[in-house]
Amino acid sequence: MSEHDELKNKMYEWTEKYANKAGYRLNPDKEALDYVLDGLASRIEKFGRRYCPCRIVTGDEDEDKKIVCPCIYHKDEIEKDGNCHCELFFKPS
Ligand code: SF4
């Protein structure tokens, strides 16, 4: 297995744990979920941190802290829209 795929697996394990703990569920669309996990793994490879794959990394450390997954926005987004911006975490059905 490539290093990238190993990272993706780690991201999957981590997101599943977090979703369980927080009372969310992961995107039931496996392809969409895979896309976000792929993005998270790529962010780690590029920046060394779990930055949100669908937000812009500015280079300003204080700003970028806000978008380390799970970002500061996800709870409100899930409450309001039913899922976070990246469609990783969903409200339980
Ligand atoms: S929008 Fe979703 S995937 Fe992106 S950082 Fe927030 S919680 Fe993580």
Side-chain angles (χ1 to χ4, degrees), residues 36 52-55 67-71 74 77 84-86 88-89:
V36 184
C52 182
C54 45
R55 297 182 199 272
I67 61 160
V68 174
C69 190
C71 62
H74 76 294
E77 290 171 345
C84 72
H85 183 53
C86 280
L88 173 60
F89 299 115

Side-chain angles (χ1 to χ4, degrees), residues 3 13 20 27 33 38 61 79 86:
E3 263 178 51
E13 284 166 18
N20 282 337
N27 191 333
L33 176 62
D38 196 61
E61 211 180 309
E79 193 48 47
C86 280

